[in-house]
Amino acid sequence: MSTIPTAGPEASPSVNKRRRKIDAVSIASFIALLVTTFLMLLPLFFMVSTSLKSKKELLKFPPSFLPETWQWSNYREIFDTLNFSQMYMNSLFIGILTVVGTLLSSALAGYGFARYRGKGSNLWFMLMLSTMMLPYPAIMIPQFILFSKLNWIDTFLPLIVPAFFGSAYNIFLLRQFFSTLPDELFDAGRIDGCSEFRMWRQIALPLSGPALATVAIFAFIYSWNDLLTPVLYLSSSDKFTLPVGMSSFTSSRFRIPPWHLLMVASVLAMLPIVALFAIAQKRFVEGIVLTGIK
Amino acid sequence: MKRIRNKKTFALLLATSMLVVLALSGCSGGKSAGDVAPGNNGDSAKSSSSGEQVTITHYTIDSEDRTFIEKLIPDFEAKHPNIKVKVEKAPYEQFDSKLQTLIAGGKSPDVTSHYGYGGFAEYYNKDMLLDMNDIIQEDGFKASDYNIPDDLMKIYTVKDHVYGIPVNMYVTLMLYNKDMFDAANVPYPPSDYEDKSWTFDKMIEDARQMTHVSSDIAKTQYGVDFTWSERDMRPLYFGAEPYSPDTWTNGGVPSETHFDSPEVIAAYNKLFNLILKDKVSPTTEWSKSVAGQNGDAFVTGKVGMTVSGSWSLAGSNDFPFKVGVAAVPAGGNDKVRSVLFVDPLLILKGSKHPKEAFEWIKYLVSDEVQEKSIDLSGGNPPVNTKAAETYYKHFDGIDPADVKKVYEGAVKYGFESYNHLITHYSQINDMFINEMQPIDTGHKTVEQVMPTIQKKVMEIIKR
């Protein structure tokens, strides 16, 4: 995982002096951080190490720290044994569209809830929030019936379209952010003859980098990790997403699961999340630096 | 302001759609999956009259030993030009929930088996299964034509109505680590069920010679692991019967259970003593820490013998040691010494094309396909007695004669697994695992736990 970025580009001399004074404290905290980082990285290390072991070595006890023979071919094998690249593309495709849909719909709805007052808008807001309390299994079957009437079974639509209708949590998150934007900005926009939609697009959105990045990360991670929905709606192998394919790895009750390949898959599955996190985190920091608004 | 109104319409739309979802979820609550299915399928009008092209779906687990049937489809479709077969799959963990949703959503598959946690009795009692009698009569299907033993046909026949055609038969057997036996200079256990010397006590004696407990977890090894399969089945093996006999005649609902009887308690004590008193078996924690996520310490080569399902044979080529198969030692029950796990093929009530589904099932149990399936699946045991000969020879490094003897003995002394035949089985099984945990860790005795289990089993059954 990426490291926590330090604030500010270059430290000025006065800061340096202050730093020297608290050297003891910072060294101690540095060591503490180092130890925790190491502990956090350990499972990750084992994941990578296991992904390079041979099947026979998996069964060894105690497990070896590093692979005895580095079996790089595992990384090739995963593409041979499963339609792994297909699943990867499916997951990416669904994930990206989910992010687009969530950002569009939740930002619009959140903006609406934050900036406009109307009759009963609080009631609608409460109603929307209350949908967060519905666990997925409660709506699973009715939703399935709905989508099956629309003939959407075994297509990606049930996994993508709902994102374009917003999700309570993200709307709430963005509403909170939009309400912190100063009214003056929008008044100025209005005086300049800005349309309401343009104010959303050119004033509110550019100032919301951090919030939008957060929502994007949440939406992508949720879609990327989701297992139950794809299991329900997808039935053909060429449409499977990564989690479905990966949980099929351990499906056989009859054989030792190929953990090494599962770890290869996990390593590869982790990459987009790490990448997204790195990119979104940069945006996050930029957002604060550029706008000065928190 | 127009735009503001737009926002409101959007919110309104959102809210109404949420309400619709709420209302829908409300009405689904009271109905079970079974009774939503038949009335709900919009396209049930499509008739399945002969000649017209129909598509049947086979729902199964997404793992190589199940999805191999996809390779059998082209040949079947060539022989039955009017039938197309589609395979739908789900990972093992999600098998049951997807099946329930499919049925409730009016998209019931045609053919499946009880591959998830739920067993045949659960499906039967939820009224999910089609009574095949009419189709069988019309078709003139005879189990003997397919080399399926009559005894196996009886397993999925309730009150003279056939609800499932057996397709695979797994048995309980003993696997042993030849390398460990050689190192300890102990002769291999026999594969012949008629060998009277192979008793539970003899097993303990052999196990003792291979057990070395050391403070170093890596150097510790145990003689035997007897924690096979579901927990409520284990007493049977020692001559104690926890479920009343009427269970097998009325669709898996026992009128009485006897989990607190002295016989059942004695049986459990015998097994737990392997760990707690004789100390020839590993504790659950030890197994877990040694085997990691595989959960089976035997495959790491640190356990001499293990009682297991014959499905373990399919993975035996990957074990880092030489493997043999043996009979399960006699525990005191003259009639039952092996638990059988016979998987049937079932037609679901929601099937729109039951006749075509039956054609597919017949194809899957035919001599030729059963034989082919052994290799394609990587070692699924066929029910077909003719194909079985090929199965015995399938495993590298294991003597086919031993596999054959073990299978024949298991059929002779076999009893069909409870998990297929008792209602609400997944709940019973979960309860057993939870309640017995304190015995594993030595915090409670069998005597303390069994009355609670007895009470809870009855509660679950009466649900």
Side-chain angles (χ1 to χ4, degrees), chain B residues 342-355:
Chain B
V342 177
D343 284 337
L345 289 169
L346 315 161
I347 300 181
L348 292 164
K349 250 193 179 161
S351 164
K352 283 151 209 156
H353 311 292
K355 265 184 220 160

Side-chain angles (χ1 to χ4, degrees), chain A residues 1-241:
Chain A
M1 294 271 171
S2 49
T3 50
I4 302 154
T6 46
E10 293 292 318
S12 65
S14 66
V15 174
N16 265 347
K17 251 179 231 161
R18 212 184 314 142
R19 275 223 179 126
R20 233 169 273 141
K21 273 183 204 156
I22 50 165
D23 256 357
V25 180
S26 60
I27 286 174
S29 55
F30 182 74
I31 289 172
L33 277 176
L34 207 67
V35 171
T36 27
T37 312
F38 180 74
L39 287 177
M40 299 287 215
L41 286 177
L42 203 59
L44 213 70
F45 170 81
F46 258 101
M47 181 166 93
V48 178
S49 152
T50 309
S51 77
L52 291 165
K53 287 178 186 171
S54 68
K55 195 163 186 183
K56 288 232 188 302
E57 206 183 329
L58 289 179
L59 301 174
K60 286 244 169 71
F61 185 87
S64 46
F65 204 63
L66 286 167
E68 279 162 16
T69 45
W70 296 67
Q71 204 160 319
W72 293 100
S73 56
N74 289 348
Y75 279 78
R76 204 176 51 237
E77 202 186 331
I78 189 115
F79 290 97
D80 298 339
T81 46
L82 280 167
N83 38 0
F84 188 78
S85 39
Q86 172 90 58
M87 294 191 307
Y88 211 86
M89 292 318 282
N90 291 346
S91 273
L92 268 183
F93 178 73
I94 294 168
I96 290 169
L97 282 182
T98 305
V99 169
V100 171
T102 310
L103 283 180
L104 272 177
S105 59
S106 301
L108 262 178
Y111 185 71
F113 276 123
R115 304 224 58 88
Y116 301 107
R117 291 270 145 257
K119 223 182 243 168
S121 54
N122 272 334
L123 179 78
W124 289 121
F125 190 61
M126 296 301 280
L127 201 67
M128 185 205 71
L129 283 185
S130 67
T131 61
M132 272 164 65
M133 286 187 292
L134 276 180
Y136 182 67
I139 60 162
M140 193 167 90
I141 288 174
Q143 206 183 50
F144 185 86
I145 295 173
L146 176 75
F147 289 141
S148 104
K149 296 246 169 200
L150 291 170
N151 258 330
W152 283 4
I153 305 302
D154 212 15
T155 69
F156 291 150
L157 291 170
L159 306 173
I160 296 168
V161 173
F164 283 84
F165 288 87
S167 73
Y169 179 73
N170 291 326
I171 293 173
F172 175 72
L173 206 100
L174 288 172
R175 188 201 95 118
Q176 297 308 96
F177 189 86
F178 288 137
S179 359
T180 61
L181 296 178
D183 283 336
E184 290 78 7
L185 279 174
F186 296 93
D187 291 341
R190 208 163 276 140
I191 290 164
D192 287 347
C194 216
S195 73
E196 294 295 325
F197 183 74
R198 214 172 140 194
M199 283 201 288
W200 172 72
R201 201 169 56 85
Q202 289 196 318
I203 302 178
L205 286 194
L207 291 179
S208 319
L212 292 176
T214 313
V215 168
I217 292 182
F218 278 146
F220 188 78
I221 291 182
Y222 181 78
S223 154
W224 190 255
N225 289 340
D226 189 18
L227 171 62
L228 192 56
T229 333
V231 161
L232 286 185
Y233 291 108
L234 307 175
S235 285
S236 324
S237 315
D238 60 332
K239 298 210 177 68
F240 279 171
T241 60

Side-chain angles (χ1 to χ4, degrees), chain B residues 179-194:
Chain B
D179 298 353
M180 250 172 101
F181 271 80
D182 291 342
N185 238 335
V186 181
Y188 298 149
S191 56
D192 186 358
Y193 270 81
E194 307 304 334

